[in-house]
Amino acid sequence: MSTTVLSPQETRIQEQIENKQAQPAHHTRANDILARVRAQKPHVDVERGLLFTESFRQTEGEPLVLRWAKALYHYAEKATVYVDKDQLIVGRGGGEGRYGLLYPELDGDTLDLAIKKLPTRESSPFDIAPEDAKTIIEDIAPYWKGKTFHEDLAKALGPETMKLTYNPDEALTSRYVVNETASFRSSLQWVHDYEIVLKKGFGGLRAEAQERLAQLDEFSPIDNCEKRPFLEAEILTADAIILWANRHADEAERQAAEEGDPKRAAELQRIAETCRWVPEHPARTFYEAMQSQWFTQLFSRIEQKTGTIISNGRMDQYLYPFYKADKEAGRITADEAQELFECMWVDMAQYIDLYLSDAGGAFNEATPTGRPSPSEARPPKATTRPTS
């Protein structure tokens, strides 16, 4: 007699098919966070797009690398910061729930048309508040007309490729014959050097850039036209993420002062102390290392779109020394370390790549970690996905 053995994932899928509710092996704070966001349709958050547009309006004519750093600083200074209920690892790029960000520098030329389709399209639908749609149409999209990567790419395509890539009767809409992915920023994966941040902190990286800046030859065209803007941008970017982290500390302290539950108030105070230290300084504990890694990862997503995966890299290598030291000193248990990982996983799961085009939505319908998004409130059906 043959016996079918299912993996845990296959078991959950089978239970869902049979309309059974799969129960978690153990209840954690991550379950509570997921329960609040799982059934929500992703929404469009306009802050990143609006703040970058405001900054780019003010910096026209400056070197692009410096304009980008100034836009990041403007975001860090003005954007809403979130310290979510139950969370231990804080920081998000959009409002509560699952969210997508706008990158108008890539495809802002189609923003005013795309937002009308986003809530109802079949692949990767996104909700958008009426006031946010008005902001896109009136404040963001007009500035980027004629300035986007999307338009420059279309102009660079030869006529034979162009007619196979985009519909001639509907500008820059894919024909699914030749499906370009450059404007989706697709790649294999991006792996940041988290270890250098954990060891030096952005304060240390900023100091290194300041030292190199001081060594430039003031009479050298290369030093002044190429190296100086890059180093100034590096310093400004470090200042931006440090400011952003400190604003999270401010918010955690505000919540701690108003919190009626002593246990949560203590957690919020610890969050504030952690965000005051990292990512500006080298991490001293496993908790600080986890928070510093997440700030670095998320701020990179705010900096620019990465259409596939921002990888966590070899977490076992760069995080283990912090875990080992804390474990030996009695500062952390295995269960507490697992809880921090779970908090980071649900942070990652709430960022959803937003693609304005139907082709991008269909081609990349998944979370940024490559795992399927939580199912929408509609029955699944077979689809044929375009291939590049």
Side-chain angles (χ1 to χ4, degrees):
M1 182 178 67
S2 62
T3 302
T4 301
V5 179
L6 301 179
S7 70
Q9 181 181 17
E10 291 169 330
T11 300
R12 288 193 296 271
I13 293 171
Q14 186 64 38
E15 289 172 338
Q16 289 174 359
I17 292 173
E18 297 172 358
N19 294 320
K20 294 181 180 179
Q21 180 64 42
Q23 297 296 326
H26 60 284
H27 192 85
T28 68
R29 70 174 69 224
N31 295 130
D32 293 332
I33 297 170
L34 282 174
R36 291 195 294 270
V37 304
R38 193 174 186 86
Q40 298 177 19
K41 183 190 294 184
H43 67 275
V44 178
D45 191 284
V46 302
E47 273 198 325
R48 191 267 179 197
L50 178 62
L51 292 171
F52 265 60
T53 302
E54 288 176 356
S55 181
F56 269 78
R57 286 183 190 275
Q58 299 167 6
T59 59
E60 291 189 356
E62 298 182 28
L64 182 58
V65 66
L66 199 52
R67 296 182 73 191
W68 219 280
K70 289 183 177 182
L72 274 173
Y73 193 90
H74 185 61
Y75 176 91
E77 187 177 36
K78 301 295 185 182
T80 307
V81 295
Y82 301 91
V83 176
D84 291 348
K85 180 181 178 182
D86 297 321
Q87 259 293 2
L88 298 177
I89 302 297
V90 299
R92 54 190 301 125
E96 185 176 353
R98 295 189 291 153
Y99 62 92
L101 302 181
L102 296 176
Y103 300 88
E105 66 275 10
L106 288 179
D107 47 14
D109 53 298
T110 62
L111 264 176
D112 49 355
L113 300 175
I115 59 168
K116 300 175 183 178
K117 300 179 181 179
L118 284 177
T120 57
R121 70 184 184 184
E122 183 176 332
S123 298
S124 262
F126 279 78
D127 279 336
I128 182 166
E131 60 271 20
D132 289 340
K134 185 173 183 290
T135 296
I136 290 173
I137 293 172
E138 296 180 359
D139 300 327
I140 300 177
Y143 174 77
W144 294 100
K145 297 285 186 181
K147 299 182 177 73
T148 66
F149 172 83
H150 199 207
E151 292 164 289
D152 283 346
L153 175 66
K155 292 174 185 176
L157 297 176
E160 292 303 312
T161 306
M162 181 69 175
K163 70 181 182 182
L164 297 175
T165 306
Y166 299 115
N167 283 319
D169 55 342
E170 191 172 348
L172 302 184
T173 302
S174 178
R175 292 194 65 197
Y176 300 101
V177 179
V178 175
N179 185 32
E180 64 88 4
T181 59
S183 62
F184 306 162
R185 302 290 285 122
S186 289
S187 59
L188 291 177
Q189 62 176 334
W190 294 36
V191 185
H192 299 315
D193 191 349
Y194 299 111
E195 187 172 17
I196 198 172
V197 175
L198 301 184
K199 288 183 175 180
K200 296 183 178 182
F202 276 94
L205 296 174
R206 177 181 57 190
E208 290 179 357
Q210 289 171 327
E211 183 179 350
R212 293 198 298 271
L213 186 64
Q215 295 171 352
L216 294 182
D217 182 353
E218 62 179 321
F219 299 109
S220 167
I222 293 179
D223 280 9
N224 284 285
C225 296
E226 297 180 12
K227 295 182 180 180
R228 182 175 298 278
F230 175 82
L231 292 171
E232 289 176 347
E234 187 177 349
I235 293 166
L236 195 55
T237 300
D239 288 339
I241 194 170
I242 291 168
L243 170 63
W244 193 57
N246 276 287
R247 292 188 60 221
H248 283 82
D250 293 340
E251 176 61 18
E253 286 177 347
R254 184 194 68 78
Q255 291 188 22
E258 299 176 357
E259 179 59 55
D261 179 2
K263 180 181 177 182
R264 180 56 181 167
E267 290 176 349
L268 289 165
Q269 192 58 47
R270 186 185 183 195
I271 288 169
E273 293 169 359
T274 301
C275 295
R276 290 268 182 243
W277 186 259
V278 294
E280 180 175 6
H281 304 286
R284 300 167 299 187
T285 66
F286 183 74
Y287 190 4
E288 289 179 353
M290 290 286 287
Q291 182 62 68
S292 188
Q293 196 269 21
W294 174 242
F295 271 147
T296 303
Q297 178 180 161
L298 183 57
F299 208 63
S300 175
R301 288 201 176 279
I302 293 165
E303 178 188 13
Q304 60 180 311
K305 184 177 182 65
T306 53
T308 46
I309 296 172
I310 290 184
S311 174
N312 289 300
R314 291 300 302 272
M315 301 180 88
D316 57 329
Q317 293 184 357
Y318 62 76
L319 289 177
Y320 182 70
F322 297 97
Y323 173 73
K324 182 174 183 291
D326 280 6
K327 192 78 160 46
E328 292 175 350
R331 290 189 295 263
I332 199 169
T333 66
D335 286 343
E336 288 169 341
Q338 178 175 324
E339 185 175 56
L340 292 176
F341 277 114
E342 290 174 348
C343 285
M344 182 184 283
W345 299 154
V346 296
D347 276 335
M348 289 191 294
Q350 290 177 70
Y351 173 89
I352 309 296
D353 275 331
L354 168 59
Y355 296 87
L356 298 183
S357 70
D358 292 339
F363 192 74
N364 296 277
E365 190 174 26
T367 67
T369 53
R371 293 174 279 108
S373 304
S375 59
E376 305 295 345
R378 62 176 189 267
K381 61 181 179 179
T383 58
T384 300
R385 302 198 185 279
T387 57
S388 57

